[in-house]
Amino acid sequence: MRKTSGAASGSSFARRSASGRSGMTAGLRAFLHSMAPDVIRETQNRVEDCLAHTATEVNEYGFDPFGFHRERAKPFFTACTLLYEKYFRVEAHDIERVPKGRVLLVANHAGQVPTDGLMISAAMLTVAQPPRVARGMSEYWLGALPWLNDVARAMGTAVGTPETCVEMLKRDECVLVFPEGVRGLNKTYAHRYELQPFGTGFMRLALATKTPILPVGVIGTEEQQIGIANLTKLGKRFGMPSLPITLSFPWLGPFGLLPLPVKVHLYFGKPLYFQGSADDEAGVREKVDVVREALATVLQHGRAGRRGVFV
Amino acid sequence: MKKVFITGAARGVGRLLALRLVDRADVVGVDSVRWEGHPGEIHFVQVDPGRRQIEEILREERPDTILHCGLLQDFQASDAQRYDFNLLGTKQLLDLAEHLSVERVLVLSTAMVYGAFADNALALSEDAPRLASRDRTSLRDLVEADYLAEAFCWRVPTIRTLVLRPVHVLGPSCENVFAQYLRLPTVPTVAGFDPMLQCMHEDDLVAAILLALEKNLRGVFNVAGPGAVSLQTVIREVGSAQISLPESLLRFAIPRLGALANFVFPSVLIDYLKFSLLVSGARFEDASGFRCLYDLEETFHGVVRT
């Protein structure tokens, strides 16, 4: 039932340090050690193999209709997997619950930088059987960020418009959404694990395309950055959805956005199947609340089961 | 279809269409440029953009079909000239079509009218708004001509009107802004951006138009090519050298400096070099059964570099 991936597939040093030491240093040490060339090469080969086994169809130049590209994505998925296994030492629980075919993963969003999305992507690629590309639905402004927009697109992410989401679901993809959006991502530390209000868009799309919804509780990333304030107006002036102030950002510059080496758990809930009209406002709201409740339960269960923030 | 009137008949898709249709119907072609050595069966007239001439030809010839392939898409003329030519020209042509009760009208628009934006949906349907002129007025003539044609399609039910919005058309005879861009000696791209886009071969577009006419389609359709790839893939496959430059340089310095060196950089394209513009051709494919004959590789190799 329990599937661990982080320690199990890493080097012996990583395993020892992850279990033996406690606190932040364990994660940092394991991560630095993982920078050894042989570990990187081994991870890269594994990622390549997983990517080759994903079902997403591409054209003769390697692109799928939304810009996903295995070759281009490989180095970034490798980096992601190293973070997954060595830095955050992620454990993915009950990932076999993800049904075959189209599915909508609904997760909590936190921690100022969207590592939660990256970790779920890494889990779906390297742990799930068969491997899948999690198609993240991103904030609108990601599409305008130089370089990052290219990387995100090659890894299968797209700016979250309803039309794109429907097209992806029609192709039986695994789409990842954070219905809290920036409200969740940029909330302050005091509000960690408090689910913010959900948008209803994802439920309409799920109903229209008869897609099962699977709540994914992300434990750990809510503590990766200690958010103390949010300067929404100032952020908007810079073209960002919000400007978070954390213990380290913006005081340390861009480095201040680096997440702490928290221990991350991904809890995959049971798939939820809904029926009804996408235009029934009250009905949609009700169903969204069912998903939110289910995710809250998963989170509660996950928090109760952990030993500490860094172990 | 007995008599066809084709605008833009001396260039690109208009010319290819004229040559293909000459066996099946009487072809009357007009264009603002000369067409040296056109087949004797084609009645070709070089017209100047003051458009009284077109009215006279139409009244005299009384075609049953008008194929409007003459929208300028190469941005050589000034914004104001193109506005007159593309928008007022289309308006006049459609008014005449209604007045002379032709049977059918084709307006060859372009998928560029949707505009390239960071938050574009990645399979735009025909119902998506045409936003290309939201930030850049240079494209307003094409956008407004497209809206005009779409409105005409539903306003005048007695005329079978077809509006096609093909993706970037490539081929040896095509003179659109994107083809010209690809033929630059060194092709500049915007640093940090490598958007997805679609291309199709000019022969495929001609085949699509002939098929749509054969099937008597009416309405508005995207015509998508054989697939989507990134911009830098296209540049590589076409065989051009590529250079990444900061956007500020592309937007301000290159157009001004380039003018001195006789190097025309189509600034209007910059948004399309940053953001993905992907349309869904499903509606057209369902209605006509159209499939591209050229695959991606053949499409790219159709670009002849001079």
Side-chain angles (χ1 to χ4, degrees):
Chain A
M1 198 66 176
R2 262 168 84 102
K3 251 191 184 170
T4 49
S5 67
S9 47
S11 68
S12 61
F13 180 86
R15 199 177 312 137
R16 199 173 60 238
S17 58
S19 56
R21 272 178 249 268
S22 63
M24 280 168 62
T25 46
L28 285 174
R29 271 168 181 277
F31 183 67
L32 289 175
H33 182 78
S34 78
M35 289 296 112
D38 60 318
V39 177
I40 296 176
R41 209 172 308 121
E42 184 271 330
T43 310
Q44 180 158 333
N45 292 340
R46 207 149 33 85
V47 164
E48 187 171 13
D49 190 52
C50 289
L51 279 170
H53 284 88
T54 52
T56 305
E57 281 179 33
V58 297
N59 61 28
E60 63 252 52
Y61 288 97
F63 292 97
D64 94 330
F66 313 101
F68 165 72
H69 194 285
R70 289 189 174 81
E71 248 341 275
R72 289 175 176 221
K74 193 172 73 179
F76 304 107
F77 270 124
T78 303
C80 249
T81 306
L82 286 170
L83 283 176
Y84 181 93
E85 293 173 353
K86 305 298 198 289
Y87 191 78
F88 294 113
R89 298 145 288 137
V90 183
E91 289 181 29
H93 307 269
D94 305 326
I95 197 168
E96 65 281 356
R97 283 176 172 167
V98 179
K100 287 191 171 55
R102 66 182 68 162
V103 59
L104 206 53
L105 303 182
V106 172
N108 56 313
H109 211 15
Q112 318 304 337
V113 270
T115 40
D116 35 19
L118 295 177
M119 292 306 106
I120 294 172
S121 297
M124 290 310 296
L125 185 68
T126 59
V127 185
Q129 286 299 336
R132 298 188 69 169
V133 184
R135 315 301 301 255
M137 293 283 107
S138 80
E139 264 312 309
Y140 285 132
W141 74 302
L142 178 65
L145 294 177
W147 289 287
L148 281 182
N149 79 91
D150 276 356
V151 172
R153 185 173 47 233
M155 292 174 78
T157 296
V159 167
T161 67
E163 296 86 355
T164 307
C165 185
V166 166
E167 286 299 317
M168 285 183 171
L169 291 174
K170 279 190 193 157
R171 295 174 153 261
D172 285 339
E173 294 281 358
C174 165
V175 176
L176 167 64
V177 294
F178 298 96
E180 298 170 89
V182 182
R183 295 185 295 270
L185 187 67
N186 289 352
K187 64 182 182 287
T188 53
Y189 188 71
H191 296 285
R192 62 192 183 281
Y193 299 107
E194 286 174 17
L195 284 177
Q196 301 302 301
F198 273 25
T200 57
F202 76 93
M203 181 54 73
R204 281 176 229 280
L205 302 176
L207 290 172
T209 53
K210 299 193 169 55
T211 305
I213 291 178
L214 194 106
V216 183
V218 188
I219 307 286
T221 50
E222 307 246 357
E223 283 102 349
Q224 69 182 9
Q225 276 278 340
I226 315 295
I228 45 183
N230 248 315
L231 306 181
T232 310
K233 273 188 185 159
L234 192 64
K236 291 240 160 77
R237 195 167 287 183
F238 292 122
M240 301 153 66
S242 176
L243 180 69
I245 303 296
T246 75
L247 281 187
S248 52
F249 184 82
W251 327 117
L252 303 179
F255 296 104
L257 275 178
L258 291 178
L260 298 172
V262 290
K263 166 90 176 171
V264 174
H265 294 266
L266 305 176
Y267 286 89
F268 290 79
K270 293 196 177 105
L272 305 165
Y273 297 85
F274 293 97
Q275 279 179 336
S277 161
D279 297 319
D280 170 15
E281 198 54 44
V284 167
R285 259 278 149 225
E286 220 167 83
K287 294 180 180 84
V288 169
D289 286 340
V290 172
V291 177
R292 196 162 173 266
E293 278 308 307
L295 182 54
T297 311
V298 170
L299 283 173
Q300 213 170 14
H301 166 73
R303 284 186 83 187
R306 72 174 179 166
R307 288 185 292 153
V309 173
F310 297 105
V311 291
Chain B
M1 187 161 58
K2 294 197 181 68
K3 192 176 251 185
V4 193
F5 179 84
I6 303 178
T7 67
R11 295 161 299 148
V13 175
R15 182 182 201 154
L16 295 173
L17 269 177
L19 294 172
R20 287 289 292 278
L21 285 170
V22 73
D23 303 334
R24 316 182 195 182
D26 291 339
V27 177
V28 181
V30 296
D31 205 325
S32 55
V33 295
R34 290 159 67 93
W35 182 0
E36 302 282 359
H38 61 84
E41 300 93 329
I42 296 176
H43 176 41
F44 178 77
V45 186
Q46 186 188 356
V47 292
D48 68 41
R51 221 154 295 258
R52 293 292 305 167
Q53 240 177 320
I54 285 183
E55 183 173 351
E56 282 159 25
I57 298 168
L58 277 173
R59 284 185 188 282
E60 193 178 318
E61 298 281 352
R62 299 310 287 257
D64 54 272
T65 301
I66 294 178
L67 306 181
H68 185 29
C69 306
L71 284 175
L72 290 178
Q73 297 185 13
D74 59 3
F75 300 89
Q76 305 277 18
S78 75
D79 283 4
Q81 278 171 326
R82 275 187 295 107
Y83 196 80
D84 282 352
F85 190 91
N86 283 346
L87 188 60
L88 300 184
T90 303
K91 169 90 174 111
Q92 192 204 13
L93 200 62
L94 293 177
D95 286 348
L96 280 167
E98 188 179 7
H99 188 70
L100 303 175
S101 19
V102 300
E103 286 168 28
R104 97 174 120 195
V105 172
L106 164 89
V107 177
L108 190 59
S109 180
T110 163
M112 279 178 76
V113 291
Y114 294 113
F117 298 99
D119 55 353
N120 262 352
L122 296 181
L124 291 166
S125 81
E126 288 80 354
D127 308 320
R130 276 75 78 199
L131 298 173
S133 57
R134 190 175 77 178
D135 304 332
R136 317 271 169 235
T137 50
S138 289
L139 285 155
R140 63 189 173 153
D141 54 327
L142 289 175
V143 172
E144 286 176 33
D146 183 280
Y147 271 110
L148 198 66
E150 189 189 36
F152 184 81
C153 181
W154 308 120
R155 186 173 60 79
V156 188
T158 50
I159 299 177
R160 271 199 312 275
T161 306
L162 184 62
V163 182
L164 295 183
R165 298 187 189 129
V167 295
H168 296 303
V169 185
L170 300 179
S173 55
C174 264
E175 281 305 319
N176 57 61
V177 64
F178 190 69
Q180 282 170 355
Y181 162 77
L182 289 177
R183 290 192 198 111
L184 290 175
T186 301
V187 183
T189 58
V190 185
F193 294 91
D194 186 20
M196 295 292 288
L197 50 83
Q198 293 155 303
C199 300
M200 72 185 300
H201 196 277
E202 56 185 21
D203 290 349
D204 268 333
L205 179 57
V206 170
I209 291 171
L210 293 175
L211 191 62
L213 295 175
E214 206 174 287
K215 301 259 173 171
N216 286 322
L217 292 190
R218 65 171 296 164
V220 185
F221 298 96
N222 297 328
V223 189
V229 296
S230 80
L231 173 65
Q232 288 175 20
T233 308
V234 179
I235 296 172
R236 195 184 61 224
E237 286 303 309
V238 167
S240 301
Q242 178 238 322
I243 180 171
S244 284
L245 297 173
E247 187 184 349
S248 52
L249 209 60
L250 276 176
R251 234 184 244 294
F252 301 106
I254 298 285
R256 288 167 179 75
L257 292 175
L260 300 174
N262 211 6
F263 175 86
V264 181
F265 178 74
S267 316
V268 68
L269 263 184
I270 290 177
D271 289 334
Y272 297 83
L273 309 182
K274 285 178 71 185
F275 305 122
S276 299
L277 168 58
L278 298 171
V279 301
S280 161
R283 193 186 288 180
F284 185 68
E285 281 155 26
D286 290 347
S288 68
F290 171 72
R291 297 287 177 275
C292 286
L293 283 175
Y294 290 74
D295 66 17
L296 282 168
E297 199 180 344
E298 291 161 341
T299 302
F300 299 141
H301 295 170
V303 179
V304 177
R305 307 194 67 240
T306 46

